[in-house]
Each structure stands twice: as structure tokens, then as C-alpha cells.
């Protein structure tokens, strides 16, 4: 085999006593696609920053392209062809694609500012490297997440990148966009460029990577070919425990009347003729790509943006779902897709976030909050959802993604809903928390709640849903029963839509 592009050996790094990395070794060869996996806090970002020269290691050796680095600076790393694409892509939204590409290039080359012709040529050269079909004069702020990412990749390639590191590159992409990204990764691999990418999504790991390094609590617990692993062993290495995947969730409660009945619900330009019923104990999956109308439907059911026509019944009662207040009064709760902007008050305490939807019930007629009941409620949900918090008085932003999502679920469960609607509940959440959230949903359904689970995470849908509705261009086009579709079949159906 050729010599490794980069070879890290026995790297140690501690932050104020926390051992973020312990004796971690890693080699990456030219043209290798390697996944760096591990739960939150396992040390992935620290390792990446050491490769980038952003953090200095405490001990261990680094050899890049045959050269040993006693100290590695960010400039050394870039000069050796290492490019990192962070989750925010480090792009300037108010500048054009061309300006973003050229500006970085200029900064790195430390040359004088280029003229417009050079900017255009640089940008055209960059986008051609990945056959990206994009208007280079478009403002980056107007691009989709996927396009921004591709611009960041094109920009990275201008530096003769030999290794591109991507931190959770697929988090905000639809399935189709993920496939586009993987196509590009395959092309880069064919050109001998190496990729190191961080991912929590097991499907993707299996689809795209050749090799995988798994970290747990700062130690390397697996290093080898992806082909040596199956889902179960991969999850075991990541979490250190065997996750019970025994069966698919199926509705257990028979002969009940529906909790929610939707008939011919339509909204101009958003969705049309939506009809379905939701039964107690059921987890009803709504699968569909971004733009299929899945979120618009959820918004209408929750009164955020009412439908134009059709009916919604809660139990027997027909309800005009004209506001969130109406929806909440009828026992509907909604956990939105974007918890960071819609679901959580990040600066507020964990306790306040949990109590926010039930503050009226915790307040007496004089407007005093019953502090004791408020504290009890917080304690109850932290216990029940096993939320890991140092103190409920810490701000919500201090928690990991998985725990933040549990807070959002807790605040809605405190309203004692009959129907719980969730959109992408485990996006950006580590594997352990993901399983925990799925278990919470199953337990809630078993206790008689009706759950609508909107997601494009295929294993999440196939494992947890009693029934699956497929949405495409605003309509329900198919219905499947639990166990009817394999993951691959659902994946094909979604991609074809
Ligand atoms: P991951 O990216 O896998 O989620 P990190 O590398 O961010 O993990 O973190 C590994 C460990 O190091 C965690 O315990 C984290 O709290 C700690 N850590 C990371 N960066 C810092 C820092 N700058 N200061 C203090 N502790 C840190
Ligand atoms: Mg990280």
C-alpha cells in the first residue's frame, strides 16, 4: 500500500482535567473515505481540530505526507492539503458565490486583492471541479443548505485539497441531496482525494465509507473496514451497550375510535385532499421529502397555518383549527423540526423551557406561580425522559442535542396531549439518544396517545410506525402497514418521489 497521507499516533489531549482524547491513533490513505463516528462528547471535534492545527496535542506524533510535525499550525495543515468544512460552512451570506470563493483564496495566498475577472475565473474554476451548476453571482444567503455545502466543497478543492474533513455534512440535507453529496464524494475518491467525515447516521456510514474509526469517551474502540461491521456491532461500539431492536412497533390497541380524523383537507399550494384517521396507541409515520407538504400539513393540524378547506375532527367533535391555542385546547402538541429556533428558548433555563406551555396551569388567580408544583413538574419530566442535566437552572443551550430534544418533548408532554405531532425528532441527535427518544414515543403510544411522526429518516420510520403514509407533491399517495416495507424499499420509494 502507498504511504498514508496522514498518520496520527497515540494522541492525547485534555481540557482542564477532562481527557478528551486518550492514545488515539489514526491513519488516512489517499483516496480513502473514512467515517469518524462516536456519540456526542466522544472527542470527534477535538481530533479534527488537532488535524487542522487549531488545537495543540498534549502528546503523540503527527506525520503528514511523510513529514513529522512537532507543532502543527493551521497554515501547515492547509499547506499540506487539509481542508475542513465546518457545519456552518464559514461562508458570508451577503457576498456572492464568486466572492466567497475568491476571498478565501486571496486570504490564504496572502496576495493583493484580485480584480473582477480573476474573481470570476477562480469561481468558475472551483465550481467546475465538482460540476456544480450554479450562478456564481448569486448571493450565498439565497442558496439552499445543500448548495452552500457544495460551494464550500468547491472552494476547498481550489487549494489542491488532499484531505477534506466534513463535520456532520448530511445533518440538514434531504435524502436526495445526500445522494448528490455522495456522488461528489465518490468522484473525489476516484481522483485520489481522501475524505474524513463525521456522521451519526448508520445508513450513510454503510453506504459511503470504506473505513471507520469509532471513538467512545475519548478512546478509539474500533478501527477497520466498514464491511467488518453490521448495524448492531456499529451501535455497540458507539454506545458501549447493546440496543434492543427486537421488533417493529405495531399498534396494540384494537377497536378504539379515532382520536383525530382528517377529511379532504386542502390548502392552496401546500397540500390537497388529505384524509386519514389517527387511533389511540398508533404511531403514524408521514414519510416524504422536504417540499412534499409534510410540514405544511403538520402546521395546519396544529393551527399554525390553517387549511383552506376540509374538516378536522378531534374524537367526534369537528374543530376549526384556527390557532395554536385551539389546537392545544383540543389536546394537540407539536414538536417542530427546527428545535433551535422554534422549539427551545436557548438562553432560558431548562426548568423554564419545560414549564413554558403549562405556565397558565401553574399560575393561580392572582398571577402567582406555584413554585413547588413548577419544580415538581420539572423533576418529573427530567426523571421520566431521563434528561441528563447538571441543574435545571442551567440554560437550555448547555445541553447536548439529544437532551435538548427531550426538553422540547417534555414541555409538550406536560400539556398532557392526546395527539403528539413530531417533525424530524432525532435530526442531529446521537445514536444513544435517538434510541431513547424512540423508546419514549413507543411508551407514550402504548399508554394510548396518538403520535404522528414526520420524518425522512428511513430506519426511524420503518422501525417505529404502525402505519406509514407517503406524501408526494402535497398529496398522500400511498399507505403501508408496519413491517410491509424494508428500509431499502422505503428508501427507493422516497428517492423516486
Ligand atoms: P464530539 O465532537 O465527539 O461531540 P468533543 O471533541 O467536542 O466531542 O468533546 C470531547 C470532550 O472534550 C467532551 O467531554 C467535551 O466536553 C470536552 N471539550 C471539548 N472541547 C473543549 C474545550 N474547548 N474546553 C473544555 N472541554 C472541552
Ligand atoms: Mg463535535
Amino acid at each position: 500500500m502507498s504511504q498514508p497521507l496522514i498518520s496520527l499516533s497515540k494522541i492525547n489531549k485534555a481540557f482542564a482535567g477532562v481527557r478528551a482524547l486518550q492514545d488515539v491513533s489514526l491513519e488516512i490513505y489517499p483516496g480513502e473515505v473514512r467515517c469518524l463516528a462516536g456519540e456526542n462528547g466522544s472527542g470527534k471535534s477535538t481530533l479534527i481540530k488537532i488535524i487542522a492545527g487549531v488545537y495543540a496535542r498534549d502528546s503523540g506524533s503527527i506525520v503528514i505526507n511523510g513529514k513529522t510535525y512537532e507543532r502543527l499550525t493551521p497554515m501547515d495543515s492547509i499547506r499540506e492539503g487539509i481542508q475542513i468544512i465546518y457545519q456552518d460552512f464559514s461562508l458570508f451570506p451577503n457576498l456572492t458565490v464568486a466572492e466567497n470563493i475568491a476571498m478565501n483564496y486571496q486570504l490564504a495566498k496572502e496576495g493583493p486583492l484580485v480584480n473582477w475577472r480573476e474573481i470570476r475565473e477562480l469561481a468558475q474554476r472551483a465550481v467546475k471541479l465538482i460540476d456544480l451548476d450554479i450562478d456564481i453571482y448569486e448571493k450565498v444567503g439565497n442558496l439552499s443548505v445543500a448548495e452552500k455545502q457544495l460551494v464550500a466543497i468547491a472552494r476547498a478543492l481550489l487549494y489542491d485539497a488532499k484531505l477534506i474533513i466534513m463535520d456532520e455534512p448530511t445533518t440538514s440535507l434531504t435524502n436526495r441531496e445526500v445522494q448528490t453529496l455522495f456522488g461528489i464524494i465518490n468522484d473525489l475518491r476516484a481522483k485520489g482525494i481522501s475524505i474524513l467525515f463525521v456522521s451519526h447516521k448508520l445508513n450513510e456510514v454503510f453506504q459511503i465509507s470504506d473505513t471507520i474509526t469509532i471513538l467512545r469517551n475519548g478512546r478509539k474502540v474500533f478501527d477497520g473496514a466498514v464491511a467488518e461491521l453490521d448495524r448492531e456491532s456499529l451501535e455497540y461500539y458507539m454506545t458501549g451497550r447493546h440496543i434492543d431492536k427486537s421488533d417493529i412497533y405495531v399498534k396494540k390497541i384494537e377497536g378504539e375510535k379515532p382520536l383525530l380524523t382528517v377529511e379532504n383537507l386542502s390548502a392552496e399550494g401546500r397540500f390537497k385532499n388529505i384524509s386519514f384517521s389517527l387511533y389511540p396507541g398508533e404511531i403514524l409515520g408521514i414519510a416524504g421529502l422536504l417540499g412534499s407538504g409534510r410540514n405544511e400539513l403538520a402546521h395546519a393540524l396544529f393551527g399554525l397555518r390553517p387549511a383552506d378547506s376540509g374538516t378536522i375532527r378531534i374524537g367526534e367533535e369537528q374543530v376549526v383549527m384556527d390557532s395554536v391555542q385551539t389546537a392545544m385546547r383540543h389536546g394537540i402538541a407539536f414538536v417542530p423540526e427546527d428545535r433551535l429556533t422554534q422549539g427551545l428558548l436557548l438562553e432560558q433555563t431548562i426548568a423554564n423551557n419545560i414549564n413554558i406551555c403549562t405556565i397558565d396551569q401553574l399560575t393561580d388567580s392572582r398571577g402567582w406561580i406555584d413554585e413547588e408544583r413548577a419544580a415538581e413538574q420539572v423533576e418529573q419530566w427530567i426523571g421520566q425522559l431521563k434528561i441528563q442535566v447538571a441543574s435545571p437552572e442551567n440554560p437550555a443551550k448547555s445541553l447536548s442535542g439529544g437532551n435538548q430534544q427531550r426538553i422540547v418533548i417534555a414541555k409538550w408532554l406536560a400539556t398532557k396531549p392526546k395527539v403528539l405531532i413530531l417533525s424530524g425528532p432525532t435530526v442531529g441527535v446521537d445514536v444513544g439518544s435517538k434510541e431513547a427518544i424512540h423508546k419514549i414515543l413507543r411508551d407514550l403510544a402504548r399508554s394510548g396517545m396518538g403520535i404522528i411522526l414526520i420524518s425522512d429518516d428511513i430506519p426511524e420510520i420503518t422501525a417505529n410506525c404502525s402505519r406509514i403514509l407517503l406524501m408526494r407533491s402535497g398529496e398522500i399517495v400511498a399507505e403501508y402497514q408496519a413491517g410491509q416495507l424494508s428500509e431499502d424499499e422505503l428508501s427507493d420509494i422516497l428517492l423516486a418521489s
Side-chain angles (χ1 to χ4, degrees):
M1 212 191 275
S2 54
Q3 84 167 6
L5 179 66
I6 181 165
S7 172
L8 306 183
S9 174
K10 292 191 175 288
I11 299 290
N12 284 282
K13 176 72 184 172
F15 296 102
V18 177
R19 301 192 69 180
L21 294 174
Q22 297 185 46
D23 286 334
V24 172
S25 299
L26 174 75
E27 289 189 335
I28 303 174
Y29 285 85
E32 174 179 343
V33 177
R34 180 175 284 268
C35 174
L36 181 60
E39 295 200 288
N40 284 334
S42 59
K44 304 179 299 292
S45 295
T46 304
L47 188 59
I48 287 176
K49 286 179 184 153
I50 285 175
I51 298 175
V54 174
Y55 287 162
R57 63 201 185 268
D58 298 338
S59 64
S61 74
I62 300 183
V63 180
I64 309 176
N65 295 312
K67 180 168 177 205
T68 302
Y69 281 89
E70 293 308 329
R71 279 204 57 219
L72 181 72
T73 66
M75 265 332 279
D76 293 332
S77 180
I78 291 170
R79 232 178 276 123
E80 292 287 6
I82 296 170
Q83 283 287 317
I84 308 212
I85 298 177
Y86 290 102
Q87 274 186 298
D88 62 1
F89 311 131
S90 320
L91 294 169
F92 296 92
N94 52 337
L95 298 184
T96 63
V97 171
E99 288 163 340
N100 264 284
I101 289 173
M103 187 159 102
N104 242 54
Y105 194 72
Q106 275 321 113
L107 290 176
K109 297 274 156 170
E110 295 170 2
L113 268 179
V114 284
N115 62 36
W116 288 109
R117 190 173 53 83
E118 283 174 284
I119 290 179
R120 188 188 65 226
E121 282 171 7
L122 269 176
Q124 280 168 342
R125 182 144 61 88
V127 299
K128 231 176 117 198
L129 288 169
I130 54 169
D131 286 328
L132 177 58
D133 181 18
I134 200 165
D135 175 3
I136 59 170
Y137 298 113
E138 184 68 77
K139 286 234 171 20
V140 160
N142 296 335
L143 304 181
S144 70
V145 176
E147 288 168 330
K148 285 184 191 142
Q149 183 177 57
L150 297 179
V151 169
I153 294 174
R155 186 180 66 182
L157 289 172
L158 267 189
Y159 299 84
D160 297 324
K162 297 196 179 70
L163 169 64
I164 298 183
I165 301 178
M166 304 185 194
D167 199 353
E168 297 200 50
T170 62
T171 305
S172 313
L173 304 189
T174 64
N175 273 311
R176 195 191 301 254
E177 291 164 344
V178 168
Q179 297 311 316
T180 306
L181 175 67
F182 284 0
I184 289 170
I185 290 180
N186 277 327
D187 290 346
L188 296 176
R189 164 166 42 200
K191 289 181 189 153
I193 295 171
S194 315
I195 308 282
L196 179 69
F197 78 105
V198 174
S199 180
H200 289 306
K201 300 186 184 171
L202 306 187
N203 271 12
E204 296 175 354
V205 172
F206 285 113
Q207 190 188 340
I208 191 71
S209 35
D210 306 312
T211 51
I212 182 166
T213 298
I214 307 178
L215 300 180
R216 191 164 77 227
N217 298 328
R219 289 178 181 277
K220 187 168 79 173
V221 292
F222 181 88
D223 191 316
V226 167
E228 290 170 35
L229 297 175
D230 57 13
R231 295 188 78 81
E232 212 175 320
S233 50
L234 179 50
E235 285 185 351
Y236 173 71
Y237 281 118
M238 285 173 72
T239 62
R241 46 184 191 278
H242 283 288
I243 292 168
D244 182 15
K245 270 267 171 130
S246 50
D247 54 359
I248 296 172
Y249 180 80
V250 184
K251 180 183 128 195
K252 295 289 190 315
I253 305 170
E254 301 291 336
E256 299 250 355
K257 295 217 171 72
L259 293 169
L260 169 76
T261 309
V262 175
E263 272 168 16
N264 290 322
L265 207 64
S266 296
E268 184 69 36
R270 289 183 280 155
F271 51 81
K272 67 174 187 256
N273 289 329
I274 302 289
S275 299
F276 68 89
S277 298
L278 174 71
Y279 291 86
E282 198 172 40
I283 302 180
L284 179 62
I286 298 189
L289 299 176
L290 210 64
S292 60
R294 54 182 201 185
N295 279 317
E296 289 76 5
L297 174 60
H299 292 168
L301 296 176
F302 191 56
L304 273 167
R305 215 180 146 198
D308 305 333
S309 62
T311 57
I312 298 176
R313 272 181 286 142
I314 302 292
E316 311 268 281
E317 183 190 352
Q318 185 168 330
V319 177
V320 179
M321 210 57 81
D322 53 2
S323 70
V324 171
Q325 286 70 27
T326 307
M328 285 174 67
R329 207 168 51 243
H330 287 88
I332 300 184
F334 177 51
V335 176
E337 186 160 51
D338 187 356
R339 67 175 172 268
L340 292 187
T341 58
Q342 298 172 17
L344 271 184
L345 300 168
L346 286 170
E347 305 292 335
Q348 283 283 337
T349 64
I350 292 159
N352 285 349
N353 270 287
I354 291 179
N355 286 334
I356 195 160
C357 292
T358 39
I359 201 73
D360 286 351
Q361 291 145 46
L362 297 169
T363 307
D364 68 17
S365 54
R366 292 168 305 163
W368 294 90
I369 293 182
D370 184 338
E371 298 289 351
E372 203 170 314
R373 272 184 54 220
E376 265 171 33
Q377 174 160 289
V378 169
E379 200 179 321
Q380 181 203 338
W381 289 112
I382 286 179
Q384 205 156 324
L385 301 190
K386 299 193 176 68
I387 307 171
Q388 282 150 20
V389 301
S391 155
E393 295 310 316
N394 287 346
K397 69 177 179 195
S398 68
L399 298 177
S400 69
N403 282 306
Q404 285 183 355
Q405 187 65 307
R406 289 185 224 201
I407 300 284
V408 181
I409 295 175
K411 78 170 185 184
W412 284 109
L413 292 181
T415 68
K416 303 197 179 66
K418 293 194 230 80
V419 173
L420 175 63
I421 305 171
L422 306 103
S423 182
T426 60
V427 169
V429 157
D430 61 90
V431 179
S433 282
K434 192 167 176 170
E435 293 293 327
I437 289 170
H438 291 160
K439 181 171 183 311
I440 291 165
L441 299 183
R442 287 164 176 238
D443 288 346
L444 290 169
R446 279 198 194 95
S447 75
M449 198 180 282
I451 294 180
I452 296 179
L453 175 58
I454 300 170
S455 176
D456 58 14
D457 181 326
I458 288 160
E460 172 164 283
I461 294 261
T462 52
N464 294 295
C465 295
S466 339
R467 219 163 22 113
I468 302 167
L469 303 177
L470 179 69
M471 277 190 85
R472 186 179 294 161
S473 314
E475 292 187 84
I476 294 177
V477 293
E479 174 176 339
Y480 306 96
Q481 301 302 316
Q484 194 179 335
L485 293 179
S486 69
E487 287 177 14
D488 286 348
E489 284 165 335
L490 180 58
S491 174
D492 289 346
I493 289 170
L494 270 178
L495 283 178
S497 61

